[in-house]
Amino acid sequence: MSQPVQPPNPPQQPYGGGQPTDGNPYAAQQPPAGAPYAPHPGAQTGGNPFAGQQPGQFGGGAPFSPAPPARDTMGLGLLAAVVATLVAAGVYGGIIGATEHQIGYAAVGVGFLVGFAAGKVGGRNPVLPVIGAVLALIGVYGGQLLGEAIIATKVAPVTVSEVFFEHFSVLNEAWKADTNVISILFFAIAAAAAFSAAKKAAG
């Protein structure tokens, strides 16, 4: 009588020796470490490869903050132009009083200084070159009046302030008497110099 034949190989147990779950022998299995299909510990889920990234990775970081709005500097430019007008008129008047002559280069210098101050401080505001030209005219006029007043102090026992504040009408009449085509040309040159300097200084 023959002996029962044993099966050649016993059934293999699933990975890790676990038991089938709900009829699926692989449902509760974990792939062995190092398996090529094992999920990486840092693998992302949900189909978004960047879901777990921290801000700042891959050269990122907080978005650039918007540039601050440009500051309106017209007021500062106007103030600088007024100060430059007073200074330039004083220097121009001193030159006229010392030489007793109107010098064209000095008038150009008045316009350039006024326009440069307006454009450099005030920026590209399109009104400033025009304001600079007007103030240059005022500066040349004030400088010529100051020059007349200084010349008057050489021939009369008065001070410059007395001529301006007590005898201004006489001073203005003396200025008119000395005004000629060259004087008017100085005004035009000073205004043009101020307009051009303001534009160039603003960049």
Side-chain angles (χ1 to χ4, degrees), residues 56-164:
Q57 289 183 334
F58 302 107
F64 292 107
S65 59
R71 186 164 54 98
D72 183 10
T73 57
M74 179 178 175
L76 294 176
L78 178 59
L79 178 61
V82 170
V83 173
T85 300
L86 296 175
V87 173
V91 174
Y92 184 40
I95 293 174
I96 293 175
T99 61
E100 299 186 7
H101 291 89
Q102 296 182 19
I103 301 175
Y105 291 111
V108 173
V110 172
F112 177 82
L113 181 61
V114 174
F116 181 83
K120 192 69 175 178
V121 178
R124 298 183 179 181
N125 193 303
V127 179
L128 286 176
V130 178
I131 294 177
V134 173
L135 289 176
L137 295 176
I138 296 173
V140 172
Y141 173 67
Q144 290 181 357
L145 285 180
L146 178 58
E148 292 283 352
I150 295 174
I151 293 173
T153 61
K154 296 179 180 180
V155 296
V158 291
T159 64
V160 172
S161 60
E162 289 175 346
V163 174
F164 262 99

